Each structure stands twice: as structure tokens, then as C-alpha cells.
Amino acid sequence: MSLERKDEHDHKGWMESRELTPVESVYLTVLIWLDRRLRVVDYLEILEDLYYKVNMQMPKSHTEQYNLDNKFWYWYPLYALGSFSTVAYVVAAISGALLGFYYAPAAAAADGSPTVAYDSVMLIMGQLNLGYFLRSVHRWAAQIMVAAVFLHMLRVYFTGAYKEPRELNWLIGIVLISLTLVFGYTGYLLPWSQLSFWAGQIGVEMSLSIPLIGEWVAQLMFGGFTLSQATLQRMYILHVFFLPFITTAIIAVHIGIVWMQGIAEPH
Amino acid sequence: MSDNDTDDVRTDGSGTGIVSPDDETPAWSERKERTQGLSRLTYEYFERARREDQDLRQQSDYVERDVLAFPAWPHEMMRNIALTSFFVGMILFVSATLPPEMPNPANSGVTPAIILPDWYLYWSFGLLKLGPLNPELSILGGSKLMADRTYGVLANVVVVGFVAIVPFLNKGSARRPVEQPFWAAVGMSGVIFSLTIAALSIKNLVPMDSHLLFDLTFLVPIVSATITYAVLKTMREGYMFDLNRRYYRLRPPK
Amino acid sequence: MTGDQSAGTEDGSERRDVVVPLRVYKAVTVFSTLFAVVSVVAGFILVDVATQRASAPASEIDVPVGIAGIACILAGTVVYAFSTRFRTEEMGKSKDDAT
Amino acid sequence: MADEFMKGFACLMVGGLGWMTIKGWYNTPSFEGAQLTGELTIEEPTTFDQIALFMGDAFFWFAVLGALTFWVVLPLISEFQTYLNERSA
């Protein structure tokens, strides 16, 4: 900005030319006074300018071109569900990384006595400053991410957005939704509480009942046919090492394809 | 809303209509030979959209970039950032006010009253309880072809598999549910089934006779699909009626 | 939109609209939002202090501070609500688009 | 129209979140069993508890009545008014 003062709008003259109630004129006078001194609006205008400079480089969006805004805007929340699940994923990743400083996947006994894993979660919940909030954010972000992913899939289904040329992205989406569920399941087992233990039992039985490869799958995923330390260790590594890498990569591909193809809007 | 009452032909809310006034225009019957109604309209709309996009790009004020539909940046992202910040606020609010519970340590000796995964796996858990539907083969002397739990795992595979092949079953350019009542009805039955099967998986918590619940699990989706189909079909007829009226008002039959 | 102020719509709901220059509109939006956010947060902090984070028995609540807190919250709300009557030229009311 | 939908939806969301929070605090005795609709978990409500319980009910009715107003009542009234206007015109 130059040092020269811009031509200011004659607020005083303008206000006198209007029929304003006393309250309104006081209100405006105060805000204009603040504006003259703090100039916050100037900085926001720079941002606005930047936005429009970028914006002008782009072709018109469909809604702009066909003036659909007033008809479609209340569906926007449904179109934001994809980004929303990504944001929830990021929130869960950050809080999960912080939780990782305190959690230890150790000594999975099943005799009703608290294990190291259980104790570390109790420590996070009870003693750590804001620890309960951290675990709470992680858990809620996960829950909400799953819900958002389900709703995102429904939106895509009902607006027919999976059709040509987006079949591939639909398939990738199904892989992602499954990964999200596995993410949730492995995380559910980590505190090694009663719920975790018995959910783990169901998992072992499910994998054992797969024809032909059942025993092999149980060995691979759960480290045996009964729940043990190996199970907890595997769930932990799946949850904090394998799944994050795989899921992040696939999310990147998923969003990249959306980026290239554009968002499919119903007409 | 108000568009329906105006006399000029506005098919999608923008300027030009699909009916051109000259004699080169194919007759109604010729139009009808290709497709009709909403799908026809959609086709026209897509064609024009593509053409205008093409024109815009060729004006070369724009950066050369192949956008097939709706640019993700910045139009979509700006909107999404605004909306998602509300959602993140919601996450922080609920996590500050409602922290998670912590049950007792794992104990293989005590079977808890409730053995459940998280809510989002209820549907999968419910599919494991479809034992009564497992076919019995008389050849095998009434014994079942596979164990009930194998059957349940298989049901999961079938459901996910069906969802996966949807894009290859449902083709065409129809987008809105009203354009494709059948597929919307299928989707609706799927949504309702995922809810009823989830209810089935927690049947000891649902205050209802378990046999009735089992039957309802399969009946309710079918009923809701029928209702959806009927409603959408009716809406579609309404649109068609409106389109026809406008068409004939413009070009009255001889 | 006739003139600078249109009082109410046809269905009789009185709602005052004041048309202001764009710059003033921006100032109003930015500063009223800022003021509202700050005073609502401050109000909650005051209420917290007055009631010792909602743990004090009823007799030990610091009444003046508590009332000041609630007044702060209300003031923020009122400022924000008041800002919605200002708009600039060519800014249609959303209701006009819909009908 | 869209405006009305969003307002009703906002009422539903705000009211629902508030209701869920209060019920989570006061009406969820344990993880096993009734969630949000269980028995009161406190014996002698203090002033703050009473305020919170009242707020819980207020949120609930705000959600229900707010959504009803914007989605049902107001559209009905405007429909009725246009009907009356058309008749008188």
C-alpha cells in the first residue's frame, strides 16, 4: 500500500443524508471509528483480492454458469461430506499421534487385572493434563469420520455421481470405507477392556470361519486362535503403522481423481 | 417454483430452451424416438454445458485445464472450508462435553451382557446372525451346506460386492433420484436394510419379539423401496406432465 | 428495492433494511462479528468466575459478576443481530431469490 | 424456501446437540443399558443441576418446535396467505 492516503468516503455527510435511527447512527459511528483506526478490513480486502485473482484464472463453475446457486445451496452440506471426512481423518491423526506418546500396547492378559495397555489409557484419562480431552477428540473424530464416510457414500449413490467416468473412484471409495471400518475396529481393541476383548473374540471367530484360508487369516491378523499379547501388538501396528500409510495414500489418490475429474453435480 | 408458471421455455433455470422455433427442428415424434422426458432434457443440458465450457476455454482468458465438471479448487474448497470448520467445532464441542467411557479390564472368565463392536459395525455383525436363512440341503440329510458363521461372512462379501458393481449395472446419464426411481428405490432399501440389520444385531436390546424383528428386518426395506418408487414415479409423471403442457402450449398439435 | 430503505415485505413482517456503502458494510460485518465473538467468550469466562466453574453452592455465587457475564453474552448477541440489517447495494435479500 | 429449511435444520442441530450433551451428563447411568434416556444419575440436584436439567428440556423442545415451525407452520401460513391473496385478487 502506498503512503498516500486514499480518498475517504465522506461518512459524516452520508450519514446525515440518511434517515437513521439514533441507535443505528451510534452503532455505525462506533464501528466506523474502529475501522478508521484498526484497518482490519484492509487486510481482509487483500485476502479477498488474492482469492479473486486466483478465482479468475479458473473456468466458471457449473453453478455460476447456469445460475443454479439459489436452487442448490442448501444441498452444499451434503457435497462437503467428502472434505469433512478428510478433515475428521486429519483431526484423528493429530490427536492419535499425541496419544501415541502415552499409550503402550503391552502385556495383554485376560484375567480381569488391569494390563499395561489398560493402565496407560487410564493414565491418559485420569492424570494427564487434558488427556481425557485428547482421547475424547480422537474417539469422536473417528466416530464422526465413519458417519461422514457413510453419508458421503449415500450422497454419491443418490446423485448418481459414481457413473462414467467415475466408476474407478467408486471402487476406491469402497476400499476406503472398508479401511475406515478396519481402522475403527483395530482402535476399538487397543484399550484392552472387556469390550475390546470380546470384540476381538468375534473377530477371531469371523476370520476362522472363512473357508479354506480361515486359519491362515486368523494367524496373520490376530497372531493366533486365542487373544494374546500378539493380538494387541498386531492391532497396534496395524492401527498406527500400516493403516495410516495405506489409507492416506488411497485418500490422496481418491481426492486427486476428484480434482482431475471435477465434482459431479446432479442436473 | 416460480419457473413453472412462467410462459417462456426454461428447462433448467438458464436462458435458452430446448425447443427451437424453425422448421429444421425435428418433430415431437422424432424427438421421442431417441429418448424422452427428463433423460432427454438431461442430455440436452449436458450437451449445451459441454459446448459452453468449450467456448469459454477457447476464449483463452482461462488457464488451459481440462475440467470435465465442477472445479474442485477454489469453488468447492472455499465452500467446504467454511462448512467443515463448523463441523470441526462440533467435534471439539462433543469431545469436551462427552468423553468416552472406560469399561473394566479384559477378562476371559466373565462374559459381559453385551458383546458388541462399535455401532458402525452393527450391520456387519447383524449379517452374521442370518443363520435361519442358511439353506439346508436334503441331499446332505438336512445338514447345512456350510456353517452358519461361514454363511454370515459370505453375506458380508455379497453385500460389499453388490455395492461395488453398482456403477457397472446402472449406466446412463441420469443423476437425480427422480430420473431413476428404480435405483433410488434400491438405494433406499439398502439404507433401511442397513438400519434394520443393525437393529437385528442388537436384538436382545430391542423391546420386540425376535422372530417378528427378524421378519421385519427384511419386510421394512421392501416396503420402503416400494414407497420410494411410487413417490418418485409420481413426481416424475408430474414433471413430464408439466413439460408436455409447456411443449404443447408452444407448438399446439394441428 | 425502492430507495435506500424498504420497510417490511408484502406479507407484513416488518424488517428494517439499511443500505450502506460497501466499505461501511465490510466494516460493520468485520467489527460486529469481532465484537460479538469477544464479548460472548468474555461473558462465559465471567460466568465461570462468578460460579467457580459451576461448582459454588447457590449462596456463594458472585451475583454482580454473574450478571455482568450474562449481560456480556447478551450484548454480543444483540450487536451481531443488529448488524444483519445493514446491506449494500445490489445485495438481495435471500428471501427475494427464493420466492 | 431454502432459507427456511436451513433455519429449521439449524434449530434441530443446536437443540439436538444441547439435548444430547445434557442427557449424556444426567441420564446415562452406564455404558451398558439405556443411553440418554436412562434414570437420573444424581440424587439431590444443586441449583446448577436444576438449571442444566431445565436447559435439557428447553433444548429438546427448541429442536422439535424450531424444526416444526420452519418446516411446517411457516410454509403453511405463507401458503394460506397466498391462497387468501389469490382469492381476494
Side-chain angles (χ1 to χ4, degrees):
Chain A
M1 270 182 279
S2 66
L3 291 172
E4 223 171 290
R5 289 197 72 161
K6 277 191 210 157
D7 270 353
E8 288 285 346
H9 184 255
D10 180 15
H11 289 306
K12 217 167 204 168
W14 172 79
M15 290 231 292
E16 278 160 9
S17 72
R18 295 285 143 130
E19 295 168 19
L20 296 172
T21 61
V23 184
E24 279 167 359
S25 51
V26 169
Y27 187 83
L28 283 182
T29 312
V30 170
L31 293 190
I32 289 169
W33 188 87
L34 283 173
D35 179 38
R36 284 246 167 105
R37 269 133 198 100
L38 300 177
R39 314 284 346 175
V40 177
V41 176
D42 279 353
Y43 296 102
L44 291 178
E45 274 183 346
I46 295 174
L47 283 182
E48 194 188 353
D49 206 47
L50 206 74
Y51 169 72
Y52 281 113
K53 280 206 179 103
V54 175
N55 203 0
M56 285 318 210
Q57 306 291 309
M58 299 289 177
K60 265 186 170 177
S61 75
H62 239 66
T63 37
E64 281 172 321
Q65 204 167 329
Y66 297 102
N67 240 337
L68 296 173
D69 250 39
N70 53 354
K71 288 180 185 139
F72 274 122
W73 76 261
Y74 54 89
W75 295 117
Y76 284 175
L78 295 183
Y79 283 82
L81 281 167
S83 338
F84 183 31
S85 26
T86 315
V87 169
Y89 178 70
V90 171
V91 171
I94 294 170
S95 57
L98 294 177
L99 282 175
F101 290 143
Y102 302 98
Y103 174 79
D111 54 2
S113 61
T115 55
V116 174
Y118 186 86
D119 274 340
S120 58
V121 177
M122 286 307 258
L123 173 105
I124 290 169
M125 294 291 283
Q127 272 137 285
L128 189 65
N129 275 342
L130 278 183
Y132 95 92
F133 183 69
L134 206 56
R135 176 161 181 243
S136 192
V137 165
H138 191 67
R139 198 180 147 86
W140 275 109
Q143 306 269 324
I144 287 177
M145 178 184 169
V146 175
V149 166
F150 268 119
L151 293 176
H152 176 60
M153 190 180 87
L154 291 186
R155 196 281 289 171
V156 168
Y157 180 86
F158 281 108
T159 57
Y162 51 80
K163 290 182 176 178
E164 189 201 337
R166 299 184 174 80
E167 298 99 329
L168 182 64
N169 230 11
W170 173 260
L171 292 180
I172 293 179
I174 287 171
V175 173
L176 273 177
I177 207 172
S178 322
L179 282 177
T180 312
L181 296 183
V182 178
F183 237 128
Y185 180 77
T186 51
Y188 196 67
L189 257 60
L190 290 186
W192 210 247
S193 64
Q194 272 287 65
L195 276 172
S196 319
F197 183 81
W198 290 96
Q201 288 282 26
I202 299 172
V204 173
E205 278 175 32
M206 267 182 80
S207 35
L208 276 179
S209 63
I210 300 173
L212 301 179
I213 55 168
E215 295 187 359
W216 180 75
V217 170
Q219 286 277 8
L220 183 71
M221 302 290 290
F222 294 92
F225 304 142
T226 54
L227 297 181
S228 64
Q229 172 60 26
T231 316
L232 184 57
Q233 200 84 41
R234 271 160 212 246
M235 289 297 138
Y236 181 69
I237 292 302
L238 277 179
H239 192 78
V240 304
F241 186 76
F242 275 101
L243 286 174
F245 278 110
I246 297 171
T247 312
T248 310
I250 297 182
I251 287 178
V253 173
H254 194 67
I255 293 176
I257 291 178
V258 172
W259 193 294
M260 284 190 293
Q261 293 184 332
I263 280 114
E265 287 202 87
H267 298 294
Chain B
M1 276 190 210
S2 57
D3 296 313
N4 299 345
D5 307 324
T6 51
D7 276 340
D8 56 337
V9 183
R10 300 177 77 192
T11 49
D12 52 42
S14 73
T16 46
I18 55 165
V19 184
S20 48
D22 57 4
D23 290 337
E24 299 296 314
T25 315
W28 178 239
S29 55
E30 291 172 58
R31 271 171 196 285
K32 225 170 174 178
E33 271 164 19
R34 291 187 60 180
T35 45
Q36 48 173 333
L38 278 174
S39 47
R40 170 75 197 174
L41 208 60
T42 314
Y43 168 74
E44 294 277 351
Y45 182 77
F46 262 114
E47 276 304 299
R48 196 170 63 248
R50 202 166 295 135
R51 205 172 54 236
E52 288 181 22
D53 274 348
Q54 192 53 40
D55 289 348
L56 274 178
R57 251 177 250 129
Q58 280 168 350
Q59 278 167 10
S60 79
D61 279 331
Y62 296 98
V63 171
E64 195 60 42
R65 179 162 162 260
D66 194 26
V67 177
L68 295 175
F70 193 82
W73 171 266
H75 309 288
E76 191 67 19
M77 288 320 285
M78 278 299 151
R79 213 157 69 186
N80 285 358
I81 287 168
L83 287 165
T84 45
S85 39
F86 278 106
F87 289 137
V88 172
M90 239 171 62
I91 294 182
L92 295 183
F93 174 79
V94 285
S95 37
T97 51
L98 299 171
E101 84 296 333
M102 192 67 191
N104 292 327
N107 190 345
S108 57
V110 181
T111 314
I114 304 173
I115 302 177
L116 278 180
D118 248 354
W119 58 269
Y120 46 77
L121 285 172
Y122 282 5
W123 62 271
S124 169
F125 198 50
L127 286 175
L128 298 181
K129 299 192 177 181
L130 293 183
L133 287 187
N134 198 350
E136 294 172 20
L137 291 188
S138 52
I139 285 180
L140 301 173
S143 70
K144 292 182 175 179
L145 188 58
M146 49 188 143
D148 276 352
R149 55 182 193 178
T150 313
Y151 186 75
V153 173
L154 206 67
N156 274 293
V157 174
V158 168
V159 167
V160 176
F162 176 74
V163 175
I165 59 169
V166 161
F168 306 99
L169 296 178
N170 181 16
K171 300 227 174 221
S173 60
R175 294 269 186 214
R176 287 174 291 167
V178 73
E179 289 173 301
Q180 33 180 359
F182 173 74
W183 283 96
V186 169
M188 204 57 193
S189 71
V191 173
I192 302 292
F193 180 65
S194 71
L195 294 179
T196 50
I197 196 84
L200 182 70
S201 75
I202 48 170
K203 59 184 170 191
N204 52 345
L205 299 181
V206 179
M208 194 187 280
D209 179 52
S210 64
H211 293 292
L212 179 63
L213 186 63
F214 191 85
D215 294 341
L216 281 183
T217 303
F218 298 95
L219 275 179
V220 176
I222 294 173
V223 170
S224 64
T226 316
I227 292 174
T228 312
Y229 187 78
V231 168
L232 288 178
K233 199 78 179 168
T234 314
M235 282 172 69
R236 188 179 168 154
E237 292 301 314
Y239 284 136
M240 285 297 298
F241 177 76
D242 216 47
L243 282 176
N244 282 336
R245 198 179 53 179
R246 266 194 247 161
Y247 182 82
Y248 285 116
R249 196 185 284 162
L250 225 82
R251 316 188 70 189
K254 284 167 187 160
Chain C
M1 293 317 103
T2 53
D4 55 326
Q5 307 158 5
S6 65
T9 47
E10 309 95 56
D11 52 36
S13 66
E14 290 291 321
R15 182 136 199 265
R16 195 176 150 84
D17 258 323
V18 183
V19 177
V20 298
L22 180 62
R23 177 70 201 201
V24 178
Y25 173 76
K26 283 181 180 170
V28 166
T29 311
V30 169
F31 282 98
S32 63
T33 311
L34 265 183
F35 185 80
V37 168
V38 169
S39 60
V40 167
V41 170
F44 270 106
I45 292 174
L46 283 182
V47 170
D48 249 20
V49 169
T51 58
Q52 294 166 23
R53 298 171 72 196
S55 65
S59 56
E60 283 178 29
I61 295 175
D62 195 341
V63 177
V65 177
I67 290 178
I70 292 172
C72 253
I73 296 172
L74 285 181
T77 321
V78 168
V79 166
Y80 185 76
F82 197 76
S83 77
T84 57
R85 70 170 55 190
F86 300 100
R87 58 191 184 83
T88 72
E89 276 105 21
E90 295 182 7
M91 219 175 115
K93 287 175 288 182
S94 48
K95 270 190 176 172
D96 294 339
D97 305 335
T99 47
Chain D
M1 211 55 201
D3 245 17
E4 308 291 277
F5 173 80
M6 218 51 206
K7 284 175 195 165
F9 192 64
C11 290
L12 195 70
M13 283 286 102
V14 171
L17 261 182
W19 175 82
M20 191 174 88
T21 308
I22 306 257
K23 290 289 162 174
W25 288 347
Y26 289 104
N27 292 54
T28 306
S30 78
F31 175 72
E32 300 174 16
Q35 304 280 308
L36 304 183
T37 52
E39 308 246 311
L40 258 192
T41 50
I42 47 169
E43 310 270 293
E44 296 169 8
T46 64
T47 326
F48 297 113
D49 294 334
Q50 276 163 353
I51 293 175
L53 288 174
F54 170 76
M55 288 298 285
D57 286 341
F59 275 126
F60 179 74
W61 288 111
F62 177 69
V64 173
L65 294 181
L68 266 186
T69 315
F70 286 111
W71 293 348
V72 180
V73 178
L74 286 185
L76 271 187
I77 289 177
S78 66
E79 283 286 310
F80 188 65
Q81 264 179 353
T82 47
Y83 170 72
L84 282 188
N85 286 344
E86 273 171 17
R87 271 190 55 164
S88 63

